[in-house]
Amino acid sequence: MSTIRNKSVLLAATATTALALALGACGSDGSGTRSSAPETGGGAQSASPTASAAGTTGTTGAAGSSSARKSSSGSGTKAGSGSKAGSGSGSAGGGGNATSDSYAYRHPCPAGQLSVSMTTPADAAGRRVIAVHNNGASACGLSYYPQVYLDGANAQGGKTVKPLVPGGLGGAPAYPVYAGRTAYAVIDLDPSGATTGTVSGIDELNVLADGDHMADADTRNFPLGSGALVLKPKLGLYRSTIADAVASMKTADTSS
């Protein structure tokens, strides 16, 4: 009996010890888990702004990637616009744009694409305005000034007078004239206004719109009318307005 009781007490004590150990172990794990949770939570909270910022820059996170894709897409659209503008510039630079200066530089005006006319300003009887109109659908290039000479319409081997033109020219390879636009050049037959010493027998103005690329057969002949006085005439460069063409004519100082 005593032995049985002792065994019972021993078993009970062993069970109690085992239970205590088990409870101690459980308490330690739970405490570790609970204590780590706030740290993890705190870590998550402190990491959250970082993750959010990363998301804003699109470097991490699904939302960040989406944001980055959206931002990238927006930038792509703008870049695309830039590319489009760049393409336009490229086209102009490469001469592919039929409304650009560079296209005109690469494409001399065909005579058949132009109409050439001449008028006498009401306020300056000694001047003539040469107008070259582009009837085509694309820009084209002209020489800096028309090729002009004066002579007698009925003279056989008579006198020929060429005007002075502006000197020291350079820059663009041609004067661009756009579709539907007009280039003007002005010639003053007698800049000094002299009434004596003028060249006799001159009654015709001959105009070749582009002396650099057109054949002589494309020359247009315009009557000056009776009584025209010609003495050391001056011719200006092509310009987009008559006023600018007059200003250019006044600078003529070089033989054409």
Side-chain angles (χ1 to χ4, degrees), residues 14-32 34:
T14 301
T16 300
T17 301
L19 179 60
L21 290 172
L23 289 173
C26 289
S28 176
D29 288 345
S31 175
R34 285 194 298 270

Side-chain angles (χ1 to χ4, degrees), residues 108-126:
C109 294
Q113 185 172 322
L114 307 173
S115 58
V116 181
S117 61
M118 186 198 75
T119 57
T120 302
D123 59 344

Side-chain angles (χ1 to χ4, degrees), residues 22 25 31 99 121 127 130 152 159 176 178 194 200 204 237:
S31 175
T99 63
R127 294 177 184 171
I130 300 166
K159 296 178 181 178
Y178 304 113
S200 61
E204 185 177 65
L237 306 178

Side-chain angles (χ1 to χ4, degrees), residues 124 126-128 163-166 185-191 232-239 242-253:
R127 294 177 184 171
R128 298 293 185 274
L164 297 175
V165 295
V186 170
I187 182 171
D188 193 331
L189 305 178
D190 182 11
K232 298 180 181 179
K234 289 186 174 184
L235 171 70
L237 306 178
Y238 278 124
R239 290 292 182 258
I242 295 174
D244 286 347
V246 169
S248 176
M249 173 272 297
K250 290 180 179 180
T251 68
D253 58 1

Side-chain angles (χ1 to χ4, degrees), residues 59-198:
T59 55
T60 60
S65 299
S66 174
S67 176
R69 283 194 299 271
K70 186 174 181 181
S71 174
S72 175
S73 174
S75 298
T77 302
K78 292 179 182 178
S81 300
S83 272
K84 187 174 181 182
S87 296
S89 298
S91 294
N97 184 346
T99 63
S100 70
D101 284 0
S102 58
Y103 184 92
Y105 298 155
R106 293 164 57 90
H107 295 80
C109 294
Q113 185 172 322
L114 307 173
S115 58
V116 181
S117 61
M118 186 198 75
T119 57
T120 302
D123 59 344
R127 294 177 184 171
R128 298 293 185 274
V129 177
I130 300 166
V132 179
H133 185 77
N134 183 356
N135 299 309
S138 60
C140 61
L142 293 169
S143 50
Y144 290 158
Y145 51 84
Q147 179 177 294
V148 172
Y149 65 94
L150 302 108
D151 63 6
N154 299 317
Q156 299 294 326
K159 296 178 181 178
T160 296
V161 178
K162 292 185 177 181
L164 297 175
V165 295
L169 303 180
Y175 179 83
V177 55
Y178 304 113
R181 299 294 184 85
T182 302
Y184 299 97
V186 170
I187 182 171
D188 193 331
L189 305 178
D190 182 11
S192 67
T195 56
T196 60
T198 58

